[in-house]
């Protein structure tokens, strides 16, 4: 077992002061400062239609131990633009709601990011939000960021619906014909959250009428809203299938701050620790730090192999897993590959896809009897690959 050192040792909070600025919470890993060029990647979170959301937190991982968090500023939902739901084009050039940046991201490199804290509830969505789209039992949503040697960003978001079908954002026909986001304030990488309410709340129709996880809807059910197979819904992660993608430990330090110019002095008065598993909490007059829960020791498993055209191979099974798991795969020749993590019920708990020759996926896992990591070749010719899995 290799000793695992927590990557998240410092939080810097940058507050937006202008109408066009972004509010950020950023975390960098100690001892992993970039020696080469870096850039910023802008993201924006929306609901399942057209409104940007505040109070969400994201974690970007990949490369040589990179771990960066970004938090959208607290704000009531705000309509970004009109269009077909889910809106594909964001706007952080003239909006701050739902906007955040991952700063000092080294390039070239490929990274993944996931939501670790969801926005708080409101009148329309009293139970808060799911960190994915398509129904209350949606399974996961993972962003992939590729930055080339000149610093050009290309971003996509893979969303897995309750029925295990998936969609990759942006949908080009609704995003100026472009199949990737630029990660700039004018074209942020857009993720979507699905609003939650108890079954039948305010007249909302249930998905399949049995008042379980896929029936916490606030609108008309989509054609993908039902968890399939229905017989496996009770054995999926609880209380929702997507709950396993969350699970951060939040340390809240109450403080009094005085600000003079660009200098802030903070006096700490008390500290408490809470665990967030399904939704975010609202803290008044405090600074909140969220980091992925860690295990005391971790080890790295490395595999090399081949996958025939349009086939897959499972190279790793982790018994009695819990806590952090980070999987990275590189392959050649270049083609489209999926990196997928399954739990013991063979339910997808994390997935990312790309064609750049490298992918990474970071998860926080609940206790289970086993987890399986799969490399799926979607191309027409065989690939050779190397996969690394870091786990407790």
């Amino acid at each position: 077992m290799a000793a695992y050192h927590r990557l998240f040792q410092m939080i810097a909070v940058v507050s937006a002061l202008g109408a066009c600025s972004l509010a950020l919470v950023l975390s960098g890993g100690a001892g992993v400062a970039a020696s080469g060029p870096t850039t910023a990647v802008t993201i924006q979170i929306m609901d399942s239609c057209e409104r940007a959301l505040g109070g969400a937190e994201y974690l970007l991982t990949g490369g040589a131990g990179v771990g960066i968090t970004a938090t959208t500023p607290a704000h009531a939902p705000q309509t970004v633009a009109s269009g077909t739901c889910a809106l594909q084009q964001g706007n952080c050039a003239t909006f701050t709601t739902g906007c955040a940046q991952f700063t000092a991201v080294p390039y070239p490199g490929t990274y993944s990011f996931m939501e670790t804290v969801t926005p708080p509830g409101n009148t329309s969505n009293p139970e808060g939000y799911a960190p994915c789209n398509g129904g209350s039992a949606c399974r996961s949503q993972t962003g992939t960021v590729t930055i080339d040697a000149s610093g050009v960003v290309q971003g996509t978001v893979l969303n897995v619906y309750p029925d295990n079908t998936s969609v990759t954002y942006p949908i080009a026909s609704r995003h100026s014909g472009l199949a990737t986001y630029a990660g700039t304030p004018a074209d942020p990488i857009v993720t979507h959250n699905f609003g939650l309410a108890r079954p039948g709340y305010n007249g909302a129709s249930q998905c399949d009428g049995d008042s379980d996880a896929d029936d916490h809807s606030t609108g008309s059910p989509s054609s993908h809203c039902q968890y399939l197979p229905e017989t496996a819904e009770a054995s999926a992660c609880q209380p929702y299938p997507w709950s396993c993608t969350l699970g951060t430990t939040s340390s809240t330090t109450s403080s009094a701050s005085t600000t003079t110019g660009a200098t802030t002095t903070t006096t700490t008065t008390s500290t408490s620790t809470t665990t967030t598993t399904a939704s975010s909490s609202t803290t008044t007059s405090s600074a909140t730090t969220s980091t992925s829960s860690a295990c005391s020791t971790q080890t790295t498993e490395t595999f090399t192999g081949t996958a025939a055209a349009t086939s897959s191979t499972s190279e790793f099974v982790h018994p009695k897993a819990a806590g952090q798991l980070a999987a990275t795969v590189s392959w050649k020749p270049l083609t489209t590959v999926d990196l997928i993590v399954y739990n013991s019920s063979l339910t997808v708990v994390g997935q990312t896809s790309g064609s750049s020759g490298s992918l990474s996926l970071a998860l926080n896992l609940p206790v289970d009897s086993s987890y399986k990591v799969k490399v799926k070749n979607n191309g027409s010719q065989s690939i050779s690959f190397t996969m690394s899995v870091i786990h407790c």
Side-chain angles (χ1 to χ4, degrees):
M1 300 290 282
Y4 179 77
H5 300 285
R6 293 175 65 103
L7 295 176
F8 314 114
Q9 301 296 319
M10 179 178 67
I11 297 292
V13 179
V14 182
S15 299
L17 298 179
C20 298
S21 61
L22 299 175
L24 313 172
V25 174
L26 309 171
S27 172
V32 293
S35 58
T38 65
T39 190
V41 178
T42 305
I43 63 173
Q44 187 171 31
I45 176 177
M46 297 186 193
D47 63 11
S48 59
C49 197
E50 302 167 351
R51 300 190 304 170
L53 304 172
E57 184 169 301
Y58 289 82
L59 172 65
L60 179 141
T61 59
V66 171
I68 307 171
T69 62
T71 300
T72 65
H75 197 284
Q78 183 178 12
T79 299
V80 175
S82 60
T84 303
C85 302
L87 195 65
Q88 299 296 297
Q89 179 66 58
N91 181 1
C92 291
T94 58
F95 279 79
T96 59
T97 305
C99 297
Q101 281 185 337
F102 299 112
T103 65
V105 183
Y107 67 85
T110 299
Y111 305 90
S112 63
F113 68 89
M114 294 185 72
E115 191 170 348
T116 56
V117 177
T118 54
N122 51 51
T123 303
S124 301
N125 307 281
E127 292 186 328
Y129 291 86
C132 43
N133 197 22
S136 56
C138 56
R139 303 193 181 207
S140 65
Q141 188 169 226
T142 306
T144 298
V145 179
T146 301
I147 311 175
D148 67 16
S150 60
V152 175
V153 174
Q154 291 185 312
T156 58
V157 176
L158 178 67
N159 185 85
V160 183
Y161 291 123
D163 63 359
N164 212 26
T165 60
S166 62
V167 60
T168 299
Y169 302 129
I171 297 172
S173 61
R174 288 150 51 189
H175 185 243
S176 304
L178 301 175
T180 60
Y181 295 109
T184 63
D187 186 23
I189 302 173
V190 176
T191 69
H192 296 274
N193 275 200
F194 188 84
L196 301 176
R198 66 181 182 274
Y201 172 79
N202 206 22
S205 300
Q206 296 186 43
C207 178
D208 57 6
D210 55 2
S211 298
D212 54 13
D214 57 14
D215 292 306
H216 289 244
S217 177
T218 56
S220 300
S222 75
S223 59
H224 298 289
C225 69
Q226 186 176 10
Y227 189 93
L228 296 176
E230 174 73 17
T231 54
E233 185 172 5
S235 61
C237 189
Q238 300 296 321
Y240 296 100
W242 47 264
S243 298
C244 292
T245 68
L246 301 177
T248 61
T249 299
S250 296
S251 298
T252 302
T253 303
S254 300
S255 60
S257 299
T258 57
T259 302
T260 304
T263 302
T264 300
T265 302
T266 302
T267 303
T268 301
T269 58
S270 63
T271 302
S272 62
T273 301
T274 59
T275 300
T276 302
T277 56
S279 61
S280 66
S281 59
T282 302
T283 304
T284 304
S285 300
S286 65
T288 301
T289 300
S290 293
T291 60
S292 296
S293 47
C295 24
S296 57
T297 59
Q298 287 205 329
T299 189
T300 300
E301 305 276 350
T302 302
F303 309 90
T304 58
T306 60
T310 63
S311 68
S312 59
T313 178
S314 297
E315 293 296 324
F316 172 76
V317 175
H318 179 194
K320 296 183 179 179
Q324 293 175 328
L325 183 146
T328 302
V329 63
S330 58
W331 68 92
K332 59 182 181 181
L334 295 184
T335 189
T336 302
V337 165
D338 295 337
L339 181 61
I340 311 169
V341 178
Y342 298 88
N343 64 13
S344 61
S345 301
L346 297 183
T347 298
V348 175
V349 295
Q351 181 172 346
T352 187
S353 178
S355 57
S356 66
S358 178
L359 283 174
S360 59
L361 182 61
L363 299 172
N364 234 318
L365 300 173
V367 175
D368 198 352
S369 58
S370 66
Y371 285 93
K372 178 182 292 185
V373 182
K374 175 185 285 188
V375 177
K376 182 180 180 183
N377 177 13
N378 296 306
S380 58
Q381 57 183 319
S382 177
I383 62 169
S384 58
F385 67 88
T386 299
M387 182 171 68
S388 174
V389 182
I390 304 173
H391 60 92
C392 295

